[in-house]
Amino acid sequence: MTALNPSAPCPCGFGDPYLKCCGPIHGGSTAPTAAQLMRSRYSAFAIGDEAYLLRTWHPGTRPRELELDGTTRWLRLIVEEAELGGPFDDTGYVTFSAIGRTPEGRFEQRERSRFAREHGNWFYVDGIEPPN
């Protein structure tokens, strides 16, 4: 896992320091919305926090293990749309683009992620490639 200065800008791009943005959620605080969980998961990819990614993956779709590619650098997150996923919803959808770089060059991953809230906690369920 990559060490991140707590006062550095959060990798999710929301604009707050990591310590006030995704840091507390990575540390065990509950994400209040599906969009915030998605942002915290992006940040976890950026810093290589595999344990957090598995912990926030819905048990029905979670892989047994996860091995992140250490050569991938996540550069930017663009949240395009959030549907439902609020504090009184049990489902939510977030469409986003994540821009990264590998030794082979720049790439963009676009996804419409589905989230479920159970017992007050949001979980990533799955994602599809959204229509253009």
Side-chain angles (χ1 to χ4, degrees):
M1 191 162 77
T2 303
L4 187 65
N5 179 338
S7 62
C10 191
C12 80
F14 196 63
D16 290 330
Y18 174 75
L19 186 62
K20 293 186 179 197
C21 193
C22 293
I25 297 170
H26 290 169
S29 293
T30 301
T33 65
Q36 185 58 47
L37 180 69
M38 193 280 309
R39 287 181 171 284
S40 72
R41 286 178 55 83
Y42 170 86
S43 291
F45 274 103
I47 65 172
D49 191 345
E50 295 170 357
Y52 177 79
L53 292 166
L54 287 170
R55 194 169 59 249
T56 58
W57 208 313
H58 191 275
T61 57
R62 177 177 41 221
R64 289 180 188 241
E65 57 187 46
L66 180 65
E67 187 175 330
L68 299 179
D69 180 354
T71 66
T72 300
R73 259 186 42 231
W74 293 100
L75 305 173
R76 185 169 180 218
L77 173 66
I78 302 163
V79 176
E80 299 173 21
E81 181 179 21
E83 305 166 56
L84 302 172
F88 302 108
D89 297 316
D90 290 329
T91 60
Y93 301 89
V94 180
T95 303
F96 70 91
S97 292
I99 300 166
R101 181 171 293 283
T102 66
E104 291 77 38
R106 181 190 181 278
F107 70 93
E108 183 173 329
Q109 176 182 334
R110 190 162 181 262
E111 181 176 300
R112 181 175 191 257
S113 297
R114 180 169 55 126
F115 296 87
R117 189 169 67 142
E118 296 180 2
H119 308 290
N121 293 304
W122 285 105
F123 294 94
Y124 169 79
V125 178
D126 56 21
I128 61 168
E129 187 174 335
N132 288 331

